[in-house]
Amino acid sequence: MNSNHEYSLGDAIKEVMRSLRMENKLQEVNLMASWEPVVGSMIARHTEHLAVKNRILYVNLDSSALRSELMMARSKIVKALNKEVGKNIITDIVFR
């Protein structure tokens, strides 16, 4: 804010998001948008649905073989997704 009580548009949007308590939801959306860049297009093509609830990312997949493979790498995926958005948004992933 400058001396004329003016806000930049970015600062105003951040303040509105903070006052409406929507910052976390926006960060969750950013995390879900990072799914394909982090896991790659092949895995993204087999992903049917993503949702975040209570800091857990729920991932619906159309392949049980892929589900098994991803279960073994889930801690790496959690770290990569959180790193991509710059904040620890999720603590675990559940593959369905």
Side-chain angles (χ1 to χ4, degrees):
M1 184 167 80
N2 66 25
S3 61
N4 294 331
H5 301 287
E6 295 175 358
Y7 290 91
S8 72
L9 181 57
D11 289 342
I13 290 171
K14 287 177 186 175
E15 184 59 35
V16 168
M17 296 297 284
R18 197 176 4 251
S19 69
L20 296 175
R21 297 182 182 170
M22 294 182 68
E23 281 182 318
N24 289 343
K25 193 51 95 174
L26 180 60
Q27 291 169 342
E28 290 172 2
V29 170
N30 288 336
L31 182 124
M32 289 186 290
S34 299
W35 177 252
E36 184 172 356
V38 169
V39 299
S41 61
M42 190 281 293
I43 293 172
R45 279 193 305 267
H46 292 284
T47 303
E48 296 178 332
H49 182 71
L50 296 170
V52 177
K53 185 173 182 181
N54 297 325
R55 300 191 64 187
I56 298 173
L57 177 63
Y58 293 90
V59 181
N60 290 7
L61 300 166
D62 64 6
S63 167
S64 59
L66 181 59
R67 187 177 309 119
S68 296
E69 287 291 321
L70 292 177
M71 283 294 294
M72 293 187 287
R74 88 175 172 218
S75 64
K76 289 180 183 178
I77 298 170
V78 167
K79 288 177 186 175
L81 286 168
N82 284 330
K83 183 179 180 183
E84 183 75 17
V85 295
K87 189 172 181 183
N88 288 332
I89 305 298
I90 58 170
T91 57
D92 200 5
I93 299 176
V94 173
F95 296 102
R96 299 178 175 168

